[in-house]
Structures are given as C-alpha cells and as structure tokens.
Amino acid sequence: MIPVPLVVCVLGGWCFVYLTDVLLKLSDSYGHGYEVWLGSKGLSLSPFHIRWQTSLFNRLFSRCARINPHALYLWFTSGVVFGLVSMCGSVVLLIRTLQQTVHQMTSDHPQGANQQTLQVVVPGVNLPVSQLAYFFSALLVSGVIHELGHAVAAIREQVRVNGFGVFLFVVYPGAFVDLFTTHLNLISPAQQLRIFCAGVWHNFVLCVAALCFLFLLPVLLFPVYYTGAGALVTEVVQGSPADGPRGLSIGDMVTGLEDCDVRTVEDWNSCLTIHTQTPQTGYCVPTHTLQPSWAHGRVYRRLDTSIECCSNNSLTDLCFSYTKLQESEYACLPVRKMLSGSRVCRSNAHCLTQTDPDTHSPSVCVTPSLENQTRLIRITHPPNTQMLFVGFPPHLQYAVSLTNFAPRFGFLNLDLPVVMETFCKYVVSLSGALAVVNSVPCFALDGQWMLSALLEATLVTVVTDRQRRELIGFFLLLGGSALLAANVALGLWMVTAR
C-alpha cells in the first residue's frame, strides 16, 4: 500500500505551495511584484502543478540542428519510419495488453500478471518506495531527451522554438518544448512528421543506449570491479530468515545454493526457482547416526499430512524421513551437524558409494519432513560456514539483495554498480514506455499530431475535402484514446483492487 506519511507529505506540501501562491497574488503589497517575478523567471503555478520555462537552451538547440544537415535529415527521416511503425505497434500492443488484463480479471486463477509488457505503475503499490528516486530521475531524463528531439527537429525544419521547460505534476516530473504554431502550420506534412516523430525516436535511441550500457557495464567497471565469482550480498532485511549470526551479511559472496552453483545474481534467482518448483532434495547420512536420534512414540501428522517427529521447541533439530526395507521411517536429527559434508541425493541408490570413513557404515538418503512448500536449503558463502534456510524459497529473494559486481579494492562502494545498473534498467523501461505510449493515436499525445500529419500526407489526393480528413482523424483518435484509457483504468484496478 501507499505509505500514509508519504501521501500526507505530498498533499500537505502542495496545499502549502498553492495557498502561499494565492495569498501572495491577493496581497496589495506583494501581489504585483510577485507576479512580475514569476513571469521573469518563467514560473507558473496551479493546483498540483508547477512549471518552469526558459529560452536559455535555444542557442544549444540551434547548434545541434546545424551539426550536419544531411546526417540530421537521415536521422530524423529514420525517426519518421520508426514513429509510423511504433504507432501501429503500440495499438497492437495495447489491444494485446487489454486482452490479458480482461482475462486476468475474469479468471479465478490469474497468472502472468507480472509478465505484461505494459503495466500501470503506482508508487507504493507495485513500485517500492525505496525505488522512487530511480523512477522519477529516469522519467525526467527520458522526458528531457524526448523534448530535445522535438526541439532540434523543429529548428532544422525552420520552426521557431519559443522555449524549453520542465514541470512537476503531483509527484511526476516531465519536460516540454514550446513551438511557434504559425511556423509549424506552414511547413509540409512530411516536415511535420519529422518533428512529431522525433520525440519517440529519441526515446527509442535512449532505450537502446541504456541497454548497451547495461551489457557493457562489466567491461567498463572491470578495472575496479570483477564479476563471475559469485553473487555479492549488498543488503539483508533485518529480522528476515537470512538475518542473524549464522545468516548472510553485507559483503558475503554467495557461491552455491545446495548443488546449484551461483556465479551471478541470475544464477541465484534461477536456483531459487528450481528449488521452489522441485521436490525437497535429500542428503546422504550414515545409517548409524540415525539410531541415537530415533524417537519412538513422538511422531505425529500435521494438518497437511506431513510428519513431525521432533519437539516443537527444538531450534537445532529437524525431522527427516528415509526408506528402510521399503517402509518409511522418521528420525529427529541435529541439522547442522548432520548436513556437514553430506552430499545431496534423491534416493538411497545415490548414496551406495558413500560410507562413513570411521565406522565404514553405509549411507542412506534422508529427506527433511517439512510442511507445504517449505524447503531446507544450504547456502554456501565462504569462508563462513554454510547458512541453513528453512522456509519458502522466494522469501530469500525479498530478504537478500545481491549484485554481480565485487570491488577489487576495499575502499570502493558496494552500491555504486547497483545504482548504475538499477538506473539504467529504469531508463530502459520508462524510455521504452514513453516511446510506445506517445505513439498511440490519442488526444493530447504525440500520436495525435503524428496521425494528423500522416493523413494530410497520404489522403490529400484520395479525400480532397479537408473536413472529411479531419473527421477520419477524429474517429481514429477517439478509438486510440478509448483503447489507452481502458488499459489505464483496468490496469489501475488490477494493481490497486487486487
């Protein structure tokens, strides 16, 4: 849920800003000077919305538009091709997403809710509060690059840019460019398309650039960070099953999870998935160690039909099952002592070659007798002793944060690669989302102007009446707007109500 203190701070802050603005404007002493100051600074305020506009960057846009005219022509023409393809692709993607959402709403057992390409993001609900800084900074960068594309393309097509600005709506930042409408209406539809498609084109390029940076990050950081040796622990949630004196600590290098080798964070997640979806592994234990721990008369069946044979208040012992003479037997064993040096198994046949070196006693495969989806998992993080985890494997993914990058020098920050990696991932997702959403033929989005220019460029000889062309465009925009609104509304319902 959205944290109440965060909501109170946001609402309280906006109320204070708006009331202060109203009082200053109504003041006889400060009203005129205050409004003059706002105008000189390019500031404007309204409920839950503040924007700043300036012409300081116009010279920079002009320099960029004169770098290489022919190369820029090819660049923005490529943007037109991408924009038109993405317009069709965004409609198909929204239809597909809407079908998935409706299926999840009508299904008793919805699956794949997190596998949708497009999802509505609500801070505090499906976006952790700890990730808000990444989310808003990546959103702002994506918006600035988007508007930079519009500005440079406009100047190249001889359209004046009145100014560039940024805004804050409630908590969402963004950017915009103010183009001279008269110039924009005088140029050809092909020129308009190069301007209107430049934003989504630059978002796509930014998305690709961030992806390339992610893939090259191990190479770029190689002099100071190395990878491939394991997954480095960067955070452990206090009070979680991974916390404690025999748990994981910040700086530990996880190299194994049972018989599954861990070299990267992806290996860690994959190993946990395997142990979640497969039956509990067994362990080869010498048969003579089972006798002293045997507890007749204390075996009882849990509600889920699993067997418990240890005392309820035991913190070091665990009930294990094994097969003896084709019958199931149970023994209460000291977990850490019993698992020390033992190998995993699935049946007694896997333990035939293993005998105790002191007593030459044969080994038998014992399996923890646990309830529901609980698992016993050994986690290797040398030089420390193995961590023993008893619980639901996915809980480890929430309790432990890891990274692929290990510092070569002690003074280096463990979180620097994590910050860079996380920010790039947010740029990829948000810049890609802006490219898709802005391509939709919808009112008030780039798709509206892209569609209008496209219809003027293609239907002028087929539908000679301008009003008819505008009517066709209106109905197409109405359909696109309804499609986007349905996705947003149902997406919000799925995120908040379920």
Side-chain angles (χ1 to χ4, degrees):
M1 293 182 61
I2 302 177
V4 175
L6 179 62
V7 176
V8 172
C9 289
V10 171
L11 293 178
W14 275 113
C15 290
F16 174 78
V17 170
Y18 181 66
L19 289 175
T20 303
D21 178 64
V22 171
L23 290 176
L24 287 174
K25 287 180 178 178
L26 294 177
S27 173
D28 295 333
S29 304
Y30 303 101
H32 178 70
Y34 173 67
E35 292 187 3
V36 171
W37 179 81
L38 286 178
S40 65
K41 300 299 181 181
L43 291 170
S44 61
L45 288 169
S46 58
F48 300 102
H49 183 268
I50 182 172
R51 56 182 279 171
W52 170 71
Q53 181 175 333
T54 180
S55 58
L56 293 175
F57 301 101
N58 287 6
R59 185 172 297 178
L60 174 63
F61 298 150
S62 298
R63 289 179 180 176
C64 293
R66 294 194 301 266
I67 292 176
N68 189 324
H70 181 67
L72 285 178
Y73 171 79
L74 296 177
W75 175 260
F76 289 115
T77 302
S78 301
V80 172
V81 176
F82 172 79
L84 298 181
V85 172
S86 63
M87 182 186 295
C88 300
S90 64
V91 172
V92 174
L93 184 59
L94 285 179
I95 293 174
R96 176 65 176 167
T97 304
L98 187 61
Q99 290 175 340
Q100 292 176 342
T101 305
V102 172
H103 174 72
Q104 292 167 18
M105 291 174 61
T106 56
S107 176
D108 294 332
H109 304 285
Q111 295 180 351
N114 296 323
Q115 297 176 357
Q116 290 182 330
T117 305
L118 292 177
Q119 285 186 333
V120 176
V121 176
V122 180
V125 179
N126 59 347
L127 175 66
V129 177
S130 60
Q131 302 284 301
L132 289 180
Y134 294 112
F135 177 81
F136 291 128
S137 57
L139 186 61
L140 181 60
V141 169
S142 301
V144 169
I145 296 299
H146 178 100
E147 299 302 331
L148 175 64
H150 286 312
V152 175
I155 293 177
R156 190 201 167 277
E157 302 298 340
Q158 306 303 314
V159 175
R160 190 178 76 191
V161 175
N162 295 326
F164 167 85
V166 294
F167 66 87
L168 180 67
F169 177 69
V170 188
V171 293
Y172 291 94
F176 65 92
V177 287
D178 182 16
L179 303 181
F180 192 55
T181 308
T182 304
H183 288 177
L184 193 60
N185 292 332
L186 291 175
I187 61 177
S188 67
Q191 291 176 298
Q192 291 177 353
L193 274 174
R194 282 195 283 271
I195 296 174
F196 297 143
C197 294
V200 296
W201 170 239
H202 276 216
N203 276 137
F204 172 73
V205 172
L206 177 62
C207 181
V208 173
L211 272 176
C212 293
F213 185 82
L214 270 177
F215 286 120
L216 293 175
L217 194 58
V219 178
L220 298 175
L221 295 180
F222 179 77
V224 287
Y225 292 89
Y226 64 93
T227 60
L232 186 72
V233 178
T234 58
E235 183 182 1
V236 180
V237 177
Q238 291 186 355
S240 67
D243 190 25
R246 292 193 174 182
L248 296 175
S249 302
I250 296 176
D252 286 351
M253 182 72 75
V254 177
T255 59
L257 200 148
E258 286 297 352
D259 57 341
C260 187
D261 290 333
V262 175
R263 292 291 176 264
T264 63
V265 177
E266 292 73 22
D267 291 342
W268 164 268
N269 294 327
S270 176
C271 292
L272 285 177
T273 301
I274 292 173
H275 282 83
T276 303
Q277 299 174 350
T278 57
Q280 170 70 56
T281 56
Y283 306 92
C284 293
V285 176
T287 53
H288 77 275
T289 61
L290 302 177
Q291 301 304 321
S293 300
W294 178 245
H296 291 285
R298 293 198 300 168
V299 176
Y300 65 90
R301 193 177 300 273
R302 302 188 185 98
L303 293 177
D304 65 341
T305 72
S306 61
I307 299 299
E308 175 61 81
C309 59
C310 290
S311 174
N312 288 334
N313 57 7
S314 176
L315 299 178
T316 59
D317 298 343
L318 198 64
C319 184
F320 288 83
S321 66
Y322 61 98
T323 303
K324 182 178 181 181
L325 300 177
Q326 305 301 321
E327 293 185 3
S328 296
E329 301 285 351
Y330 298 90
C332 185
L333 303 173
V335 184
R336 185 169 294 277
K337 180 180 179 181
M338 185 273 296
L339 293 184
S340 178
S342 61
R343 69 181 188 185
V344 297
C345 58
R346 291 294 179 183
S347 65
N348 288 337
H350 296 155
C351 302
L352 293 178
T353 59
Q354 182 171 335
T355 58
D356 186 88
D358 298 326
T359 63
H360 302 286
S361 173
S363 295
V364 64
C365 186
V366 300
T367 305
S369 180
L370 301 170
E371 54 186 336
N372 297 327
Q373 299 181 10
T374 305
R375 298 284 188 273
L376 169 62
I377 301 175
R378 294 182 299 183
I379 299 173
T380 306
H381 54 120
N384 304 303
T385 57
Q386 290 180 327
M387 169 190 162
L388 302 182
F389 170 80
V390 179
F392 188 40
H395 289 171
L396 275 175
Q397 292 177 307
Y398 299 102
V400 183
S401 299
L402 305 106
T403 179
N404 293 325
F405 298 89
R408 296 182 183 275
F409 309 102
F411 62 87
L412 293 174
N413 195 322
L414 297 180
D415 294 327
L416 177 61
V418 177
V419 171
M420 298 172 68
E421 195 173 26
T422 306
F423 177 73
C424 283
K425 289 179 179 178
Y426 271 97
V427 169
V428 170
S429 59
L430 291 175
S431 189
L434 282 178
V436 171
V437 173
N438 272 289
S439 299
V440 179
C442 172
F443 293 108
L445 295 179
D446 287 349
Q448 175 183 357
W449 315 114
M450 291 162 59
L451 179 64
S452 299
L454 177 64
L455 294 180
E456 287 296 319
T458 56
L459 294 184
V460 66
T461 57
V462 179
V463 183
T464 57
D465 187 5
R466 184 180 180 87
Q467 289 185 345
R468 290 187 178 181
R469 294 197 300 271
E470 290 178 350
L471 188 62
I472 293 173
F474 173 78
F475 283 110
L476 291 175
L477 289 173
L478 191 63
S481 301
L483 180 61
L484 181 60
N487 272 275
V488 173
L490 295 182
L492 280 173
W493 185 87
M494 286 290 294
V495 169
T496 57
R498 300 193 68 170

